[in-house]
Amino acid sequence: MTNEPIRVITVEREYGSRGGEFAHDLAAHLGWRLLDSDLPCAAARAAGVSAELAKKYDERLDPWYYRYGKVFWHDSGYSIAGLSDDQVFDSERMLSLIQKEILNAAKQGNCVLVGRGSACALANQPGCFHVFVYGTAAAKLDWFIRAFPKQAEQADQILTATDKRRAALIRKAYQQDWCARGLYHLLLNSAIGHQSMIAAVEGASNLVHAAQTA
């Protein structure tokens, strides 16, 4: 992080840590834009597909057999059903479009970006501050059971699988370990509560000092 004023904050989060909720509260506190579900929706608009379709690809890799077939189609000189890459909507295309949205948002500044590899996409960008939110196993399990009582028996599996999907996407797209400490300026345990988390981010990023001297 340089001495340039922070104008972008990315929030990566473990599933069940309520990191998305924290990002919402942080953006509201700062008076900044929040870009969470807006990112796949923007990708859908750019590709001319429905938001419902885009949601199916959000923070997910295409199945291995699809990726294998896609490599074969490219190597053999055949396109998928006669379509060019920019006419095919899949996880790879989705990620490419989201990356553009992330970079455009960073240029505008004053925004909080949630997940989707935003910390990696903006790793070398000045004025960006990267946060990783994690939670205890017990807290995440309690949140999931309260949020999805009908799936309580599968809670552990779903919590683990969701984080594995996110990690796999980051590894494939950026060759980075999703939860590597070196990617982030600040790691926060959500057990301390959102107000304390916001105070920690403001202090660590010098946003409090900037507001006091403005």
Side-chain angles (χ1 to χ4, degrees):
M1 186 172 60
T2 68
N3 293 325
E4 183 166 332
I6 298 301
R7 299 178 62 243
V8 178
I9 296 175
T10 70
V11 178
E12 190 52 81
R13 71 282 185 238
E14 290 182 344
Y15 187 49
S17 68
R18 301 179 67 187
E21 295 176 39
F22 158 69
H24 184 282
D25 291 347
L26 176 63
H29 175 79
L30 296 173
W32 289 5
R33 290 183 301 146
L34 174 73
L35 286 90
D36 188 352
S37 58
D38 312 67
L39 292 171
C41 288
R45 289 194 297 272
V49 301
S50 69
E52 289 72 21
L53 176 61
K55 186 176 180 180
K56 295 179 180 179
Y57 294 101
D58 191 19
E59 295 190 295
R60 293 172 181 265
L61 284 175
D62 294 308
W64 69 266
Y65 51 83
Y66 175 87
R67 285 180 277 140
Y68 178 81
K70 191 172 182 180
V71 170
F72 171 77
W73 294 322
H74 279 294
D75 288 346
S76 62
Y78 292 98
S79 61
I80 303 172
L83 299 176
S84 61
D85 284 346
D86 62 357
Q87 293 175 300
V88 175
F89 192 78
D90 53 17
S91 293
E92 186 174 352
R93 173 78 170 141
M94 169 90 151
L95 180 60
S96 175
L97 292 169
I98 284 180
Q99 286 172 335
K100 292 179 181 179
E101 292 296 327
I102 289 171
L103 293 174
N104 287 336
K107 288 179 181 178
Q108 296 176 42
N110 290 5
C111 61
V112 177
L113 296 156
V114 181
R116 282 89 183 180
S118 53
C120 293
L122 300 174
N124 299 313
Q125 296 286 332
C128 296
F129 189 83
H130 309 299
V131 179
F132 187 91
V133 179
Y134 65 96
T136 65
K140 291 187 292 184
L141 184 63
D142 178 67
W143 169 84
F144 186 92
I145 292 173
R146 286 187 288 106
F148 308 102
K150 293 182 179 179
Q151 296 177 279
E153 292 185 1
Q154 292 82 41
D156 285 324
Q157 296 95 312
I158 295 174
L159 287 167
T160 300
T162 301
D163 284 346
K164 283 186 176 180
R165 283 200 302 270
R166 290 173 175 172
L169 180 66
I170 299 305
R171 190 176 302 112
K172 175 69 167 55
Y174 297 100
Q175 296 76 54
Q176 293 281 2
D177 185 352
W178 171 66
C179 58
R181 290 176 293 178
L183 287 175
Y184 307 98
H185 297 107
L186 185 64
L187 279 68
L188 291 172
N189 187 332
S190 57
I192 68 175
H194 289 184
Q195 292 305 311
S196 295
M197 293 165 73
I198 290 172
V201 170
E202 286 189 308
S205 64
N206 280 330
L207 282 171
V208 170
H209 176 73
Q212 291 173 343
T213 57

